[in-house]
Short mmCIF file of all heavy atoms in Angstrom, two decimals:
data_model
loop_
_atom_site.label_atom_id
_atom_site.label_comp_id
_atom_site.label_asym_id
_atom_site.label_seq_id
_atom_site.Cartn_x
_atom_site.Cartn_y
_atom_site.Cartn_z
N ASP A 276 9.36 23.53 15.27
CA ASP A 276 10.71 24.09 15.14
C ASP A 276 11.52 23.29 14.13
O ASP A 276 12.32 23.84 13.36
CB ASP A 276 11.42 24.10 16.49
CG ASP A 276 10.85 25.14 17.44
OD1 ASP A 276 10.11 26.03 16.98
OD2 ASP A 276 11.15 25.07 18.65
N TRP A 277 11.32 21.96 14.13
CA TRP A 277 12.04 21.11 13.19
C TRP A 277 11.63 21.43 11.75
O TRP A 277 12.48 21.54 10.85
CB TRP A 277 11.77 19.63 13.50
CG TRP A 277 12.45 18.70 12.56
CD1 TRP A 277 13.75 18.24 12.64
CD2 TRP A 277 11.90 18.12 11.37
NE1 TRP A 277 14.02 17.42 11.57
CE2 TRP A 277 12.90 17.34 10.78
CE3 TRP A 277 10.65 18.20 10.76
CZ2 TRP A 277 12.69 16.62 9.60
CZ3 TRP A 277 10.43 17.51 9.57
CH2 TRP A 277 11.45 16.73 9.01
N VAL A 278 10.33 21.57 11.50
CA VAL A 278 9.86 21.88 10.15
C VAL A 278 10.37 23.25 9.69
O VAL A 278 10.83 23.41 8.56
CB VAL A 278 8.31 21.85 10.09
CG1 VAL A 278 7.83 22.33 8.72
CG2 VAL A 278 7.78 20.45 10.37
N LEU A 279 10.33 24.23 10.59
CA LEU A 279 10.77 25.57 10.22
C LEU A 279 12.28 25.63 9.96
O LEU A 279 12.76 26.56 9.30
CB LEU A 279 10.40 26.57 11.33
CG LEU A 279 8.90 26.86 11.49
CD1 LEU A 279 8.66 27.78 12.67
CD2 LEU A 279 8.32 27.45 10.21
N ALA A 280 13.01 24.65 10.48
CA ALA A 280 14.46 24.60 10.26
C ALA A 280 14.83 23.93 8.94
O ALA A 280 15.99 23.97 8.54
CB ALA A 280 15.14 23.87 11.42
N LEU A 281 13.85 23.33 8.26
CA LEU A 281 14.14 22.70 6.97
C LEU A 281 14.55 23.77 5.96
O LEU A 281 13.98 24.86 5.94
CB LEU A 281 12.91 21.95 6.45
CG LEU A 281 12.48 20.69 7.20
CD1 LEU A 281 11.16 20.17 6.65
CD2 LEU A 281 13.56 19.61 7.10
N PRO A 282 15.54 23.46 5.11
CA PRO A 282 15.97 24.46 4.11
C PRO A 282 14.93 24.64 3.02
O PRO A 282 14.46 23.65 2.43
CB PRO A 282 17.26 23.84 3.55
CG PRO A 282 17.11 22.37 3.76
CD PRO A 282 16.33 22.21 5.03
N LEU A 283 14.52 25.87 2.78
CA LEU A 283 13.62 26.17 1.67
C LEU A 283 14.47 26.57 0.48
O LEU A 283 14.85 27.73 0.32
CB LEU A 283 12.65 27.28 2.06
CG LEU A 283 11.64 26.95 3.16
CD1 LEU A 283 10.75 28.15 3.44
CD2 LEU A 283 10.80 25.74 2.79
N GLU A 284 14.78 25.60 -0.36
CA GLU A 284 15.64 25.83 -1.52
C GLU A 284 14.81 25.83 -2.80
O GLU A 284 13.89 25.02 -2.95
CB GLU A 284 16.73 24.76 -1.59
CG GLU A 284 17.65 24.76 -0.36
CD GLU A 284 18.70 23.67 -0.44
OE1 GLU A 284 18.58 22.82 -1.35
OE2 GLU A 284 19.62 23.67 0.39
N PHE A 285 15.15 26.70 -3.71
CA PHE A 285 14.40 26.83 -4.95
C PHE A 285 15.27 26.57 -6.18
O PHE A 285 14.79 26.59 -7.31
CB PHE A 285 13.75 28.22 -5.03
CG PHE A 285 12.78 28.47 -3.92
CD1 PHE A 285 13.20 28.97 -2.71
CD2 PHE A 285 11.43 28.17 -4.08
CE1 PHE A 285 12.31 29.21 -1.67
CE2 PHE A 285 10.53 28.40 -3.05
CZ PHE A 285 10.97 28.91 -1.84
N THR A 286 16.56 26.37 -5.95
CA THR A 286 17.47 25.99 -7.03
C THR A 286 18.36 24.88 -6.51
O THR A 286 18.91 24.97 -5.41
CB THR A 286 18.34 27.18 -7.48
OG1 THR A 286 19.09 27.67 -6.35
CG2 THR A 286 17.48 28.29 -8.06
N GLY A 287 18.48 23.82 -7.27
CA GLY A 287 19.29 22.69 -6.85
C GLY A 287 19.26 21.60 -7.88
O GLY A 287 18.70 21.76 -8.97
N ASP A 288 19.86 20.46 -7.53
CA ASP A 288 19.97 19.37 -8.49
C ASP A 288 18.74 18.46 -8.50
O ASP A 288 18.50 17.75 -9.47
CB ASP A 288 21.22 18.52 -8.18
CG ASP A 288 22.50 19.32 -8.34
OD1 ASP A 288 22.51 20.22 -9.19
OD2 ASP A 288 23.47 19.05 -7.60
N SER A 289 17.99 18.43 -7.40
CA SER A 289 16.87 17.51 -7.29
C SER A 289 15.57 18.25 -6.99
O SER A 289 15.42 18.84 -5.93
CB SER A 289 17.13 16.47 -6.19
OG SER A 289 15.97 15.70 -5.93
#
Side-chain angles (χ1 to χ4, degrees):
D276 289 346
W277 179 84
V278 174
L279 291 176
L281 291 174
L283 293 180
E284 298 179 351
F285 299 87
T286 57
D288 297 329
S289 171

